[in-house]
Amino acid sequence: MSDSIVLIPTYNEKENIERIIKAVFALPKVFDILVIDDNSPDGTAGIVKGLQSDFPDRLHLLSRPGKQGLGRAYIAGFKWALERGYGYVIEMDADFSHDPASLPKLYEACAHDGNDIAIGSRYITGINVVNWPLGRVLMSYFASKYVRIITGMPVNDATAGFVCYKADVLKAINLDKIKFVGYAFQIEMKYTAYKMGFKIKEVPIIFVNREAGTSKMSGGIFTEAAIGVIKLRFKKIDKQALDR
């Protein structure tokens, strides 16, 4: 068992799932993987099950009854990982928009550089996004600027989904009180940790738009994030971590 686990939420990712699993397991640094599948009708979970015999004790599958949102998938994965004693828990997409080769950088930022959270950031050194339409790039970039202005959180890529958490952060946060399910979930997790006094580091990455499969983005996800940020600004945060 590794000290770190990569959580990969999936819904209809049959084109990508085997390749992303093998890419993570090919890294020199050993990571375990938990795939959290929301009953994908395309057979994603079946592909994972077929690979488990090749990677015993390293590849895990958490099957859920249906599509309940990214946030709920990650919360389930966080709890699963904490119950099994992992020290570092990393969020990553299945579609190669997050390069598996960057996983060790996020891990090192937490395990050896003294940070509690490491964010794979598209915007810490400018705009490092490949193959997105210009309109979507600008929407994402200015959304993070908007979050920073409203919340005061010193993070350049607040909606980033490539994130390493020390287990202590996830233990300190009341995960049952994390309410948002789309991109606002990513903002809520970072903002909660920031208000609790945890140390956050942004690590520059290059984000590449998916080549296979279908994006799960929708207008409702952006609406939730825009309204959710204002609600977060007035959310009461338990600051128990400040006394660590």
Side-chain angles (χ1 to χ4, degrees), residues 114-117 169 172-173 189-200 237-244:
N115 301 291
D116 299 305
I117 301 171
V169 177
I173 293 174
M189 285 293 298
K190 296 177 184 71
Y191 181 69
T192 301
Y194 162 68
K195 293 298 286 186
M196 294 177 75
F198 286 109
K199 187 175 179 181
I200 301 174
I237 304 290
D238 180 359
K239 297 186 179 180
Q240 61 179 317
L242 290 171
D243 299 324
R244 290 174 298 129

Side-chain angles (χ1 to χ4, degrees), residues 1-38:
M1 174 176 161
S2 173
D3 64 341
S4 49
I5 189 162
V6 179
L7 307 187
I8 304 178
T10 56
Y11 186 79
N12 288 347
E13 291 290 354
K14 68 178 182 180
E15 295 95 345
N16 296 304
I17 192 61
E18 181 171 353
R19 291 190 305 122
I20 197 75
I21 287 170
K22 289 183 175 179
V24 172
F25 286 153
L27 295 170
K29 159 67 183 152
V30 175
F31 295 97
D32 290 350
I33 293 176
L34 173 65
V35 175
I36 308 150
D37 186 70
D38 280 2

Side-chain angles (χ1 to χ4, degrees), residues 5 33 91 104 108 121 152 235:
I5 189 162
I33 293 176
E91 302 176 350
E108 292 286 333
S121 178
K235 179 181 177 181

